Short mmCIF file of all heavy atoms in Angstrom, two decimals:
data_model
loop_
_atom_site.label_atom_id
_atom_site.label_comp_id
_atom_site.label_asym_id
_atom_site.label_seq_id
_atom_site.Cartn_x
_atom_site.Cartn_y
_atom_site.Cartn_z
N PHE A 1 1.43 1.73 -6.37
CA PHE A 1 1.86 2.52 -7.53
C PHE A 1 1.39 1.91 -8.85
O PHE A 1 0.86 2.62 -9.72
CB PHE A 1 3.39 2.66 -7.52
CG PHE A 1 3.92 3.43 -8.69
CD1 PHE A 1 3.75 4.81 -8.77
CD2 PHE A 1 4.58 2.78 -9.73
CE1 PHE A 1 4.23 5.52 -9.85
CE2 PHE A 1 5.07 3.49 -10.81
CZ PHE A 1 4.89 4.86 -10.87
N HIS A 2 1.58 0.62 -9.02
CA HIS A 2 1.21 0.00 -10.30
C HIS A 2 -0.30 0.02 -10.51
O HIS A 2 -0.76 0.09 -11.65
CB HIS A 2 1.75 -1.43 -10.36
CG HIS A 2 3.23 -1.51 -10.48
ND1 HIS A 2 3.90 -1.20 -11.65
CD2 HIS A 2 4.20 -1.83 -9.58
CE1 HIS A 2 5.21 -1.34 -11.46
NE2 HIS A 2 5.41 -1.73 -10.22
N LEU A 3 -1.05 -0.03 -9.44
CA LEU A 3 -2.51 0.07 -9.58
C LEU A 3 -2.90 1.47 -10.03
O LEU A 3 -3.83 1.64 -10.84
CB LEU A 3 -3.18 -0.28 -8.25
CG LEU A 3 -2.88 -1.66 -7.67
CD1 LEU A 3 -3.64 -1.85 -6.36
CD2 LEU A 3 -3.24 -2.76 -8.67
N LYS A 4 -2.18 2.46 -9.52
CA LYS A 4 -2.46 3.84 -9.92
C LYS A 4 -2.16 4.03 -11.41
O LYS A 4 -2.91 4.69 -12.13
CB LYS A 4 -1.62 4.79 -9.07
CG LYS A 4 -1.87 6.26 -9.37
CD LYS A 4 -1.01 7.15 -8.45
CE LYS A 4 -1.23 8.62 -8.77
NZ LYS A 4 -0.39 9.48 -7.89
N ILE A 5 -1.05 3.44 -11.87
CA ILE A 5 -0.67 3.53 -13.28
C ILE A 5 -1.75 2.90 -14.17
O ILE A 5 -2.03 3.39 -15.27
CB ILE A 5 0.69 2.84 -13.52
CG1 ILE A 5 1.80 3.62 -12.82
CG2 ILE A 5 0.99 2.72 -15.01
CD1 ILE A 5 2.01 5.02 -13.32
N LYS A 6 -2.35 1.83 -13.67
CA LYS A 6 -3.40 1.15 -14.44
C LYS A 6 -4.75 1.85 -14.33
O LYS A 6 -5.75 1.37 -14.86
CB LYS A 6 -3.54 -0.30 -13.96
CG LYS A 6 -2.39 -1.20 -14.37
CD LYS A 6 -2.69 -2.64 -13.97
CE LYS A 6 -1.63 -3.57 -14.51
NZ LYS A 6 -1.94 -4.99 -14.16
N LYS A 7 -4.76 2.96 -13.58
CA LYS A 7 -5.98 3.75 -13.40
C LYS A 7 -7.09 2.95 -12.71
O LYS A 7 -8.27 3.09 -13.04
CB LYS A 7 -6.47 4.31 -14.74
CG LYS A 7 -5.44 5.19 -15.46
CD LYS A 7 -6.04 5.88 -16.65
CE LYS A 7 -5.01 6.68 -17.43
NZ LYS A 7 -4.19 7.58 -16.61
N ILE A 8 -6.68 2.15 -11.74
CA ILE A 8 -7.66 1.45 -10.90
C ILE A 8 -8.33 2.50 -10.02
O ILE A 8 -7.68 3.43 -9.52
CB ILE A 8 -6.96 0.39 -10.02
CG1 ILE A 8 -6.22 -0.62 -10.91
CG2 ILE A 8 -7.95 -0.32 -9.11
CD1 ILE A 8 -7.08 -1.45 -11.78
N PRO A 9 -9.65 2.41 -9.80
CA PRO A 9 -10.33 3.39 -8.94
C PRO A 9 -9.67 3.50 -7.57
O PRO A 9 -9.24 2.50 -6.99
CB PRO A 9 -11.75 2.83 -8.84
CG PRO A 9 -11.93 2.05 -10.10
CD PRO A 9 -10.59 1.45 -10.41
N LYS A 10 -9.60 4.72 -7.06
CA LYS A 10 -8.90 4.97 -5.80
C LYS A 10 -9.42 4.13 -4.64
O LYS A 10 -8.61 3.60 -3.86
CB LYS A 10 -8.99 6.46 -5.46
CG LYS A 10 -8.09 6.87 -4.31
CD LYS A 10 -8.06 8.39 -4.15
CE LYS A 10 -7.12 8.79 -3.03
NZ LYS A 10 -7.07 10.27 -2.86
N PRO A 11 -10.76 3.96 -4.47
CA PRO A 11 -11.24 3.10 -3.37
C PRO A 11 -10.72 1.67 -3.48
O PRO A 11 -10.40 1.04 -2.46
CB PRO A 11 -12.75 3.16 -3.51
CG PRO A 11 -13.01 4.45 -4.22
CD PRO A 11 -11.88 4.62 -5.17
N ASP A 12 -10.60 1.14 -4.71
CA ASP A 12 -10.09 -0.21 -4.90
C ASP A 12 -8.61 -0.29 -4.56
O ASP A 12 -8.14 -1.28 -3.97
CB ASP A 12 -10.31 -0.66 -6.35
CG ASP A 12 -11.78 -0.96 -6.66
OD1 ASP A 12 -12.56 -1.13 -5.69
OD2 ASP A 12 -12.14 -1.00 -7.84
N ILE A 13 -7.87 0.75 -4.92
CA ILE A 13 -6.45 0.79 -4.57
C ILE A 13 -6.27 0.78 -3.06
O ILE A 13 -5.48 0.01 -2.51
CB ILE A 13 -5.76 2.03 -5.17
CG1 ILE A 13 -5.76 1.95 -6.70
CG2 ILE A 13 -4.33 2.17 -4.63
CD1 ILE A 13 -5.17 3.18 -7.37
N GLN A 14 -7.02 1.62 -2.37
CA GLN A 14 -6.91 1.70 -0.91
C GLN A 14 -7.26 0.36 -0.27
O GLN A 14 -6.60 -0.08 0.69
CB GLN A 14 -7.82 2.80 -0.39
CG GLN A 14 -7.38 4.21 -0.80
CD GLN A 14 -8.39 5.27 -0.40
OE1 GLN A 14 -9.58 4.99 -0.22
NE2 GLN A 14 -7.92 6.52 -0.29
N ARG A 15 -8.29 -0.30 -0.79
CA ARG A 15 -8.70 -1.59 -0.23
C ARG A 15 -7.61 -2.64 -0.43
O ARG A 15 -7.24 -3.36 0.52
CB ARG A 15 -10.00 -2.06 -0.89
CG ARG A 15 -10.43 -3.49 -0.48
CD ARG A 15 -11.68 -3.92 -1.22
NE ARG A 15 -11.50 -3.88 -2.67
CZ ARG A 15 -10.87 -4.83 -3.37
NH1 ARG A 15 -10.33 -5.88 -2.73
NH2 ARG A 15 -10.76 -4.74 -4.68
N ARG A 16 -7.07 -2.73 -1.64
CA ARG A 16 -6.07 -3.74 -1.92
C ARG A 16 -4.75 -3.47 -1.20
O ARG A 16 -4.06 -4.40 -0.75
CB ARG A 16 -5.86 -3.86 -3.44
CG ARG A 16 -7.03 -4.57 -4.10
CD ARG A 16 -7.19 -4.30 -5.58
NE ARG A 16 -6.14 -4.91 -6.40
CZ ARG A 16 -6.21 -4.97 -7.73
NH1 ARG A 16 -7.26 -4.46 -8.38
NH2 ARG A 16 -5.23 -5.53 -8.42
N VAL A 17 -4.40 -2.20 -1.06
CA VAL A 17 -3.20 -1.85 -0.29
C VAL A 17 -3.39 -2.22 1.18
O VAL A 17 -2.48 -2.78 1.82
CB VAL A 17 -2.88 -0.35 -0.44
CG1 VAL A 17 -1.81 0.08 0.59
CG2 VAL A 17 -2.39 -0.05 -1.85
N ALA A 18 -4.56 -1.95 1.72
CA ALA A 18 -4.84 -2.28 3.12
C ALA A 18 -4.80 -3.79 3.35
O ALA A 18 -4.27 -4.27 4.37
CB ALA A 18 -6.20 -1.72 3.53
N GLU A 19 -5.34 -4.54 2.40
CA GLU A 19 -5.33 -6.00 2.53
C GLU A 19 -3.90 -6.54 2.49
O GLU A 19 -3.53 -7.42 3.28
CB GLU A 19 -6.16 -6.62 1.41
CG GLU A 19 -7.66 -6.39 1.55
CD GLU A 19 -8.44 -6.89 0.34
OE1 GLU A 19 -7.79 -7.27 -0.66
OE2 GLU A 19 -9.69 -6.89 0.39
N ALA A 20 -3.09 -6.02 1.58
CA ALA A 20 -1.70 -6.47 1.48
C ALA A 20 -0.91 -6.09 2.73
O ALA A 20 -0.11 -6.87 3.24
CB ALA A 20 -1.05 -5.87 0.24
N ALA A 21 -1.14 -4.88 3.23
CA ALA A 21 -0.45 -4.42 4.43
C ALA A 21 -0.80 -5.29 5.64
O ALA A 21 0.08 -5.59 6.46
CB ALA A 21 -0.81 -2.97 4.72
N LYS A 22 -2.05 -5.72 5.72
CA LYS A 22 -2.45 -6.59 6.82
C LYS A 22 -1.77 -7.94 6.71
O LYS A 22 -1.28 -8.50 7.70
CB LYS A 22 -3.97 -6.75 6.82
CG LYS A 22 -4.50 -7.55 8.00
CD LYS A 22 -6.02 -7.58 8.01
CE LYS A 22 -6.53 -8.34 9.23
NZ LYS A 22 -8.02 -8.39 9.26
N LEU A 23 -1.73 -8.49 5.49
CA LEU A 23 -1.07 -9.78 5.27
C LEU A 23 0.40 -9.73 5.67
O LEU A 23 0.94 -10.69 6.22
CB LEU A 23 -1.16 -10.17 3.80
CG LEU A 23 -2.43 -10.85 3.29
CD1 LEU A 23 -2.36 -11.02 1.78
CD2 LEU A 23 -2.61 -12.21 3.96
N LEU A 24 1.04 -8.60 5.40
CA LEU A 24 2.49 -8.47 5.57
C LEU A 24 2.89 -7.75 6.85
O LEU A 24 4.07 -7.44 7.05
CB LEU A 24 3.08 -7.73 4.37
CG LEU A 24 2.93 -8.46 3.04
CD1 LEU A 24 3.18 -7.51 1.87
CD2 LEU A 24 3.88 -9.63 2.97
N ASP A 25 1.90 -7.48 7.70
CA ASP A 25 2.17 -6.80 8.97
C ASP A 25 2.85 -5.45 8.74
O ASP A 25 3.83 -5.10 9.41
CB ASP A 25 3.03 -7.70 9.87
CG ASP A 25 3.04 -7.22 11.33
OD1 ASP A 25 2.08 -6.51 11.72
OD2 ASP A 25 3.99 -7.53 12.06
N LEU A 26 2.30 -4.68 7.80
CA LEU A 26 2.84 -3.36 7.47
C LEU A 26 1.86 -2.24 7.78
O LEU A 26 2.08 -1.10 7.38
CB LEU A 26 3.22 -3.30 5.99
CG LEU A 26 4.42 -4.13 5.54
CD1 LEU A 26 4.52 -4.14 4.02
CD2 LEU A 26 5.71 -3.60 6.16
N GLU A 27 0.80 -2.55 8.49
CA GLU A 27 -0.26 -1.56 8.72
C GLU A 27 0.25 -0.33 9.46
O GLU A 27 -0.25 0.78 9.25
CB GLU A 27 -1.42 -2.20 9.49
CG GLU A 27 -2.16 -3.26 8.68
CD GLU A 27 -3.22 -3.98 9.50
OE1 GLU A 27 -2.81 -4.73 10.42
OE2 GLU A 27 -4.41 -3.80 9.24
N ASP A 28 1.25 -0.50 10.33
CA ASP A 28 1.76 0.62 11.11
C ASP A 28 2.80 1.44 10.36
O ASP A 28 3.31 2.43 10.90
CB ASP A 28 2.37 0.11 12.42
CG ASP A 28 1.33 -0.52 13.34
OD1 ASP A 28 0.14 -0.16 13.21
OD2 ASP A 28 1.70 -1.37 14.16
N TYR A 29 3.13 1.02 9.13
CA TYR A 29 4.23 1.68 8.41
C TYR A 29 3.76 2.31 7.10
O TYR A 29 4.60 2.77 6.31
CB TYR A 29 5.33 0.66 8.11
CG TYR A 29 5.83 -0.07 9.32
CD1 TYR A 29 5.35 -1.34 9.65
CD2 TYR A 29 6.76 0.51 10.17
CE1 TYR A 29 5.80 -2.01 10.77
CE2 TYR A 29 7.22 -0.15 11.30
CZ TYR A 29 6.73 -1.42 11.59
OH TYR A 29 7.17 -2.07 12.70
N LEU A 30 2.48 2.37 6.84
CA LEU A 30 1.98 2.81 5.55
C LEU A 30 2.34 4.26 5.22
O LEU A 30 2.46 4.62 4.05
CB LEU A 30 0.46 2.63 5.48
CG LEU A 30 -0.02 1.18 5.39
CD1 LEU A 30 -1.54 1.10 5.46
CD2 LEU A 30 0.48 0.52 4.11
N ASP A 31 2.54 5.09 6.24
CA ASP A 31 2.86 6.50 5.99
C ASP A 31 4.36 6.78 6.02
O ASP A 31 4.77 7.94 5.86
CB ASP A 31 2.15 7.37 7.04
CG ASP A 31 0.64 7.33 6.90
OD1 ASP A 31 0.18 7.20 5.75
OD2 ASP A 31 -0.07 7.41 7.92
N ARG A 32 5.17 5.75 6.21
CA ARG A 32 6.62 5.96 6.26
C ARG A 32 7.25 5.89 4.88
O ARG A 32 6.73 5.26 3.97
CB ARG A 32 7.28 4.92 7.17
CG ARG A 32 6.91 5.04 8.63
CD ARG A 32 7.83 4.17 9.47
NE ARG A 32 7.40 4.12 10.87
CZ ARG A 32 8.06 3.48 11.83
NH1 ARG A 32 9.18 2.83 11.53
NH2 ARG A 32 7.60 3.47 13.06
N LYS A 33 8.41 6.53 4.76
CA LYS A 33 9.21 6.43 3.54
C LYS A 33 10.17 5.23 3.68
O LYS A 33 10.52 4.84 4.81
CB LYS A 33 10.01 7.72 3.32
CG LYS A 33 9.16 8.98 3.18
CD LYS A 33 8.48 9.03 1.83
CE LYS A 33 7.65 10.31 1.68
NZ LYS A 33 8.47 11.52 1.64
N PRO A 34 10.63 4.66 2.58
CA PRO A 34 11.53 3.50 2.64
C PRO A 34 12.77 3.72 3.50
O PRO A 34 13.28 2.78 4.12
CB PRO A 34 11.90 3.27 1.17
CG PRO A 34 10.71 3.77 0.42
CD PRO A 34 10.22 4.97 1.19
N ALA A 35 13.30 4.95 3.52
CA ALA A 35 14.52 5.21 4.29
C ALA A 35 14.32 4.96 5.78
O ALA A 35 15.30 4.74 6.52
CB ALA A 35 14.97 6.65 4.06
N LYS A 36 13.07 5.00 6.26
CA LYS A 36 12.79 4.81 7.68
C LYS A 36 12.44 3.34 8.01
O LYS A 36 11.96 3.06 9.10
CB LYS A 36 11.61 5.70 8.10
CG LYS A 36 11.90 7.18 7.94
CD LYS A 36 13.03 7.63 8.86
CE LYS A 36 13.31 9.12 8.71
NZ LYS A 36 12.24 9.97 9.21
N LEU A 37 12.69 2.43 7.05
CA LEU A 37 12.34 1.02 7.24
C LEU A 37 13.60 0.17 7.32
O LEU A 37 14.65 0.52 6.77
CB LEU A 37 11.48 0.51 6.08
CG LEU A 37 10.16 1.24 5.81
CD1 LEU A 37 9.50 0.65 4.57
CD2 LEU A 37 9.23 1.15 7.01
N SER A 38 13.49 -0.99 7.98
CA SER A 38 14.58 -1.95 8.00
C SER A 38 14.61 -2.72 6.68
O SER A 38 13.67 -2.63 5.87
CB SER A 38 14.40 -2.93 9.15
OG SER A 38 13.25 -3.76 8.92
N GLY A 39 15.67 -3.50 6.47
CA GLY A 39 15.78 -4.28 5.24
C GLY A 39 14.62 -5.26 5.09
O GLY A 39 14.07 -5.42 3.99
N GLY A 40 14.24 -5.92 6.18
CA GLY A 40 13.14 -6.87 6.11
C GLY A 40 11.82 -6.20 5.80
O GLY A 40 10.99 -6.73 5.05
#
């Protein structure tokens, strides 16, 4: 979201989001809403 607000190019946003998701083991949850996630 904050990258979008800063008007970062969409390909760069997707790349950085994917990298963060991989680091945090969130790759399988990228399409979920927060209500469907555990606290951790």
